[in-house]
PDB file of all heavy atoms in Angstrom:
ATOM      1  N   LEU A 321      39.564  16.671 -11.218  1.00  0.00           N
ATOM      2  CA  LEU A 321      39.305  16.154  -9.867  1.00  0.00           C
ATOM      3  C   LEU A 321      39.887  14.745  -9.702  1.00  0.00           C
ATOM      4  O   LEU A 321      40.428  14.398  -8.647  1.00  0.00           O
ATOM      5  CB  LEU A 321      37.794  16.146  -9.597  1.00  0.00           C
ATOM      6  CG  LEU A 321      37.333  15.953  -8.152  1.00  0.00           C
ATOM      7  CD1 LEU A 321      37.831  17.082  -7.273  1.00  0.00           C
ATOM      8  CD2 LEU A 321      35.827  15.869  -8.070  1.00  0.00           C
ATOM      9  N   ILE A 322      39.782  13.954 -10.752  1.00  0.00           N
ATOM     10  CA  ILE A 322      40.232  12.563 -10.656  1.00  0.00           C
ATOM     11  C   ILE A 322      41.727  12.411 -10.962  1.00  0.00           C
ATOM     12  O   ILE A 322      42.460  11.734 -10.239  1.00  0.00           O
ATOM     13  CB  ILE A 322      39.408  11.669 -11.606  1.00  0.00           C
ATOM     14  CG1 ILE A 322      37.974  11.565 -11.092  1.00  0.00           C
ATOM     15  CG2 ILE A 322      40.013  10.263 -11.718  1.00  0.00           C
ATOM     16  CD1 ILE A 322      37.039  10.770 -11.995  1.00  0.00           C
ATOM     17  N   PHE A 323      42.180  13.082 -12.020  1.00  0.00           N
ATOM     18  CA  PHE A 323      43.535  12.787 -12.474  1.00  0.00           C
ATOM     19  C   PHE A 323      44.629  13.716 -11.952  1.00  0.00           C
ATOM     20  O   PHE A 323      45.792  13.353 -11.915  1.00  0.00           O
ATOM     21  CB  PHE A 323      43.565  12.812 -14.013  1.00  0.00           C
ATOM     22  CG  PHE A 323      42.862  11.653 -14.634  1.00  0.00           C
ATOM     23  CD1 PHE A 323      41.749  11.848 -15.473  1.00  0.00           C
ATOM     24  CD2 PHE A 323      43.250  10.355 -14.395  1.00  0.00           C
ATOM     25  CE1 PHE A 323      41.085  10.776 -16.032  1.00  0.00           C
ATOM     26  CE2 PHE A 323      42.588   9.266 -14.954  1.00  0.00           C
ATOM     27  CZ  PHE A 323      41.498   9.486 -15.788  1.00  0.00           C
ATOM     28  N   LYS A 324      44.282  14.919 -11.529  1.00  0.00           N
ATOM     29  CA  LYS A 324      45.332  15.853 -11.104  1.00  0.00           C
ATOM     30  C   LYS A 324      45.746  15.653  -9.657  1.00  0.00           C
ATOM     31  O   LYS A 324      46.917  15.630  -9.312  1.00  0.00           O
ATOM     32  CB  LYS A 324      44.879  17.310 -11.329  1.00  0.00           C
ATOM     33  CG  LYS A 324      44.861  17.670 -12.806  1.00  0.00           C
ATOM     34  CD  LYS A 324      44.593  19.141 -13.025  1.00  0.00           C
ATOM     35  CE  LYS A 324      44.651  19.462 -14.526  1.00  0.00           C
ATOM     36  NZ  LYS A 324      44.352  20.894 -14.781  1.00  0.00           N
ATOM     37  N   LYS A 325      44.740  15.487  -8.791  1.00  0.00           N
ATOM     38  CA  LYS A 325      45.092  15.313  -7.387  1.00  0.00           C
ATOM     39  C   LYS A 325      44.637  13.960  -6.862  1.00  0.00           C
ATOM     40  O   LYS A 325      45.255  13.384  -5.987  1.00  0.00           O
ATOM     41  CB  LYS A 325      44.494  16.440  -6.530  1.00  0.00           C
ATOM     42  CG  LYS A 325      45.248  17.748  -6.661  1.00  0.00           C
ATOM     43  CD  LYS A 325      45.028  18.616  -5.425  1.00  0.00           C
ATOM     44  CE  LYS A 325      45.974  19.817  -5.440  1.00  0.00           C
ATOM     45  NZ  LYS A 325      45.863  20.597  -4.207  1.00  0.00           N
ATOM     46  N   GLY A 326      43.523  13.489  -7.391  1.00  0.00           N
ATOM     47  CA  GLY A 326      42.992  12.220  -6.892  1.00  0.00           C
ATOM     48  C   GLY A 326      42.381  12.385  -5.525  1.00  0.00           C
ATOM     49  O   GLY A 326      42.782  13.255  -4.737  1.00  0.00           O
ATOM     50  N   THR A 327      41.404  11.547  -5.238  1.00  0.00           N
ATOM     51  CA  THR A 327      40.720  11.645  -3.942  1.00  0.00           C
ATOM     52  C   THR A 327      40.567  10.280  -3.292  1.00  0.00           C
ATOM     53  O   THR A 327      39.588  10.022  -2.586  1.00  0.00           O
ATOM     54  CB  THR A 327      39.329  12.303  -4.127  1.00  0.00           C
ATOM     55  OG1 THR A 327      38.625  11.561  -5.120  1.00  0.00           O
ATOM     56  CG2 THR A 327      39.472  13.737  -4.565  1.00  0.00           C
ATOM     57  N   GLY A 328      41.526   9.394  -3.606  1.00  0.00           N
ATOM     58  CA  GLY A 328      41.503   8.105  -2.929  1.00  0.00           C
ATOM     59  C   GLY A 328      40.297   7.268  -3.302  1.00  0.00           C
ATOM     60  O   GLY A 328      40.108   6.909  -4.466  1.00  0.00           O
ATOM     61  N   ARG A 329      39.462   6.963  -2.309  1.00  0.00           N
ATOM     62  CA  ARG A 329      38.383   6.047  -2.468  1.00  0.00           C
ATOM     63  C   ARG A 329      37.360   6.503  -3.528  1.00  0.00           C
ATOM     64  O   ARG A 329      36.872   5.729  -4.343  1.00  0.00           O
ATOM     65  CB  ARG A 329      37.676   5.860  -1.117  1.00  0.00           C
ATOM     66  CG  ARG A 329      36.530   4.854  -1.141  1.00  0.00           C
ATOM     67  CD  ARG A 329      37.028   3.466  -1.462  1.00  0.00           C
ATOM     68  NE  ARG A 329      35.956   2.476  -1.349  1.00  0.00           N
ATOM     69  CZ  ARG A 329      36.003   1.270  -1.879  1.00  0.00           C
ATOM     70  NH1 ARG A 329      37.073   0.897  -2.584  1.00  0.00           N
ATOM     71  NH2 ARG A 329      34.999   0.437  -1.730  1.00  0.00           N
ATOM     72  N   MET A 330      37.045   7.791  -3.537  1.00  0.00           N
ATOM     73  CA  MET A 330      36.027   8.283  -4.462  1.00  0.00           C
ATOM     74  C   MET A 330      36.458   8.161  -5.910  1.00  0.00           C
ATOM     75  O   MET A 330      35.696   7.674  -6.758  1.00  0.00           O
ATOM     76  CB  MET A 330      35.689   9.747  -4.142  1.00  0.00           C
ATOM     77  CG  MET A 330      34.833   9.951  -2.881  1.00  0.00           C
ATOM     78  SD  MET A 330      33.224   9.152  -2.980  1.00  0.00           S
ATOM     79  CE  MET A 330      32.431  10.115  -4.261  1.00  0.00           C
ATOM     80  N   ASP A 331      37.684   8.610  -6.233  1.00  0.00           N
ATOM     81  CA  ASP A 331      38.104   8.526  -7.633  1.00  0.00           C
ATOM     82  C   ASP A 331      38.283   7.065  -8.061  1.00  0.00           C
ATOM     83  O   ASP A 331      38.048   6.718  -9.202  1.00  0.00           O
ATOM     84  CB  ASP A 331      39.355   9.356  -7.892  1.00  0.00           C
ATOM     85  CG  ASP A 331      40.556   8.854  -7.121  1.00  0.00           C
ATOM     86  OD1 ASP A 331      40.372   8.415  -6.003  1.00  0.00           O
ATOM     87  OD2 ASP A 331      41.668   8.892  -7.692  1.00  0.00           O
ATOM     88  N   SER A 332      38.640   6.208  -7.132  1.00  0.00           N
ATOM     89  CA  SER A 332      38.767   4.786  -7.444  1.00  0.00           C
ATOM     90  C   SER A 332      37.408   4.179  -7.795  1.00  0.00           C
ATOM     91  O   SER A 332      37.285   3.395  -8.748  1.00  0.00           O
ATOM     92  CB  SER A 332      39.377   4.059  -6.252  1.00  0.00           C
ATOM     93  OG  SER A 332      39.432   2.672  -6.482  1.00  0.00           O
ATOM     94  N   LEU A 333      36.374   4.565  -7.031  1.00  0.00           N
ATOM     95  CA  LEU A 333      35.025   4.071  -7.301  1.00  0.00           C
ATOM     96  C   LEU A 333      34.503   4.546  -8.655  1.00  0.00           C
ATOM     97  O   LEU A 333      33.950   3.774  -9.439  1.00  0.00           O
ATOM     98  CB  LEU A 333      34.063   4.512  -6.187  1.00  0.00           C
ATOM     99  CG  LEU A 333      34.162   3.755  -4.871  1.00  0.00           C
ATOM    100  CD1 LEU A 333      33.340   4.467  -3.807  1.00  0.00           C
ATOM    101  CD2 LEU A 333      33.684   2.321  -5.041  1.00  0.00           C
ATOM    102  N   VAL A 334      34.676   5.853  -8.928  1.00  0.00           N
ATOM    103  CA  VAL A 334      34.201   6.398 -10.206  1.00  0.00           C
ATOM    104  C   VAL A 334      34.899   5.755 -11.376  1.00  0.00           C
ATOM    105  O   VAL A 334      34.288   5.361 -12.366  1.00  0.00           O
ATOM    106  CB  VAL A 334      34.381   7.927 -10.219  1.00  0.00           C
ATOM    107  CG1 VAL A 334      34.068   8.475 -11.620  1.00  0.00           C
ATOM    108  CG2 VAL A 334      33.481   8.585  -9.193  1.00  0.00           C
ATOM    109  N   LEU A 335      36.234   5.617 -11.278  1.00  0.00           N
ATOM    110  CA  LEU A 335      36.995   4.976 -12.328  1.00  0.00           C
ATOM    111  C   LEU A 335      36.519   3.531 -12.558  1.00  0.00           C
ATOM    112  O   LEU A 335      36.404   3.061 -13.690  1.00  0.00           O
ATOM    113  CB  LEU A 335      38.484   5.002 -12.009  1.00  0.00           C
ATOM    114  CG  LEU A 335      39.197   6.338 -12.225  1.00  0.00           C
ATOM    115  CD1 LEU A 335      40.574   6.328 -11.577  1.00  0.00           C
ATOM    116  CD2 LEU A 335      39.304   6.646 -13.717  1.00  0.00           C
ATOM    117  N   GLY A 336      36.246   2.839 -11.458  1.00  0.00           N
ATOM    118  CA  GLY A 336      35.795   1.461 -11.541  1.00  0.00           C
ATOM    119  C   GLY A 336      34.460   1.320 -12.237  1.00  0.00           C
ATOM    120  O   GLY A 336      34.267   0.456 -13.107  1.00  0.00           O
ATOM    121  N   VAL A 337      33.519   2.210 -11.849  1.00  0.00           N
ATOM    122  CA  VAL A 337      32.167   2.165 -12.473  1.00  0.00           C
ATOM    123  C   VAL A 337      32.258   2.488 -13.957  1.00  0.00           C
ATOM    124  O   VAL A 337      31.691   1.810 -14.822  1.00  0.00           O
ATOM    125  CB  VAL A 337      31.218   3.131 -11.757  1.00  0.00           C
ATOM    126  CG1 VAL A 337      29.905   3.245 -12.514  1.00  0.00           C
ATOM    127  CG2 VAL A 337      30.934   2.686 -10.331  1.00  0.00           C
ATOM    128  N   MET A 338      32.988   3.565 -14.283  1.00  0.00           N
ATOM    129  CA  MET A 338      33.103   3.967 -15.684  1.00  0.00           C
ATOM    130  C   MET A 338      33.785   2.929 -16.526  1.00  0.00           C
ATOM    131  O   MET A 338      33.409   2.700 -17.690  1.00  0.00           O
ATOM    132  CB  MET A 338      33.830   5.311 -15.765  1.00  0.00           C
ATOM    133  CG  MET A 338      33.023   6.485 -15.259  1.00  0.00           C
ATOM    134  SD  MET A 338      33.832   8.064 -15.580  1.00  0.00           S
ATOM    135  CE  MET A 338      32.573   9.199 -15.060  1.00  0.00           C
ATOM    136  N   ALA A 339      34.759   2.239 -15.965  1.00  0.00           N
ATOM    137  CA  ALA A 339      35.489   1.202 -16.710  1.00  0.00           C
ATOM    138  C   ALA A 339      34.552   0.068 -17.099  1.00  0.00           C
ATOM    139  O   ALA A 339      34.738  -0.547 -18.159  1.00  0.00           O
ATOM    140  CB  ALA A 339      36.640   0.677 -15.853  1.00  0.00           C
ATOM    141  N   GLN A 340      33.562  -0.215 -16.273  1.00  0.00           N
ATOM    142  CA  GLN A 340      32.617  -1.289 -16.598  1.00  0.00           C
ATOM    143  C   GLN A 340      31.817  -0.968 -17.859  1.00  0.00           C
ATOM    144  O   GLN A 340      31.323  -1.876 -18.526  1.00  0.00           O
ATOM    145  CB  GLN A 340      31.654  -1.517 -15.433  1.00  0.00           C
ATOM    146  CG  GLN A 340      32.314  -2.122 -14.213  1.00  0.00           C
ATOM    147  CD  GLN A 340      31.307  -2.512 -13.142  1.00  0.00           C
ATOM    148  OE1 GLN A 340      30.229  -2.998 -13.456  1.00  0.00           O
ATOM    149  NE2 GLN A 340      31.648  -2.300 -11.888  1.00  0.00           N
ATOM    150  N   TYR A 341      31.699   0.326 -18.175  1.00  0.00           N
ATOM    151  CA  TYR A 341      30.959   0.751 -19.359  1.00  0.00           C
ATOM    152  C   TYR A 341      31.873   1.336 -20.424  1.00  0.00           C
ATOM    153  O   TYR A 341      31.426   2.046 -21.335  1.00  0.00           O
ATOM    154  CB  TYR A 341      29.856   1.738 -18.966  1.00  0.00           C
ATOM    155  CG  TYR A 341      28.844   1.127 -18.031  1.00  0.00           C
ATOM    156  CD1 TYR A 341      28.996   1.269 -16.639  1.00  0.00           C
ATOM    157  CD2 TYR A 341      27.779   0.381 -18.500  1.00  0.00           C
ATOM    158  CE1 TYR A 341      28.096   0.661 -15.770  1.00  0.00           C
ATOM    159  CE2 TYR A 341      26.865  -0.211 -17.649  1.00  0.00           C
ATOM    160  CZ  TYR A 341      27.029  -0.057 -16.268  1.00  0.00           C
ATOM    161  OH  TYR A 341      26.124  -0.666 -15.412  1.00  0.00           O
ATOM    162  N   HIS A 342      33.190   1.019 -20.291  1.00  0.00           N
ATOM    163  CA  HIS A 342      34.193   1.456 -21.277  1.00  0.00           C
ATOM    164  C   HIS A 342      34.202   2.962 -21.477  1.00  0.00           C
ATOM    165  O   HIS A 342      34.232   3.463 -22.607  1.00  0.00           O
ATOM    166  CB  HIS A 342      33.956   0.725 -22.621  1.00  0.00           C
ATOM    167  CG  HIS A 342      33.811  -0.766 -22.474  1.00  0.00           C
ATOM    168  ND1 HIS A 342      34.872  -1.590 -22.155  1.00  0.00           N
ATOM    169  CD2 HIS A 342      32.710  -1.575 -22.554  1.00  0.00           C
ATOM    170  CE1 HIS A 342      34.445  -2.838 -22.055  1.00  0.00           C
ATOM    171  NE2 HIS A 342      33.135  -2.861 -22.292  1.00  0.00           N
ATOM    172  N   ILE A 343      34.165   3.683 -20.371  1.00  0.00           N
ATOM    173  CA  ILE A 343      34.205   5.143 -20.385  1.00  0.00           C
ATOM    174  C   ILE A 343      35.349   5.616 -19.487  1.00  0.00           C
ATOM    175  O   ILE A 343      35.606   5.035 -18.431  1.00  0.00           O
ATOM    176  CB  ILE A 343      32.859   5.743 -19.870  1.00  0.00           C
ATOM    177  CG1 ILE A 343      31.748   5.484 -20.884  1.00  0.00           C
ATOM    178  CG2 ILE A 343      32.980   7.241 -19.594  1.00  0.00           C
ATOM    179  CD1 ILE A 343      30.393   5.927 -20.411  1.00  0.00           C
TER     180      ILE A 343
END
Side-chain angles (χ1 to χ4, degrees):
L321 194 62
I322 292 177
F323 289 119
K324 288 187 178 178
K325 284 204 170 185
T327 54
R329 183 63 174 162
M330 285 299 293
D331 63 324
S332 176
L333 284 170
V334 172
L335 283 167
V337 171
M338 289 187 173
Q340 291 188 39
Y341 298 94
H342 310 289
I343 291 175

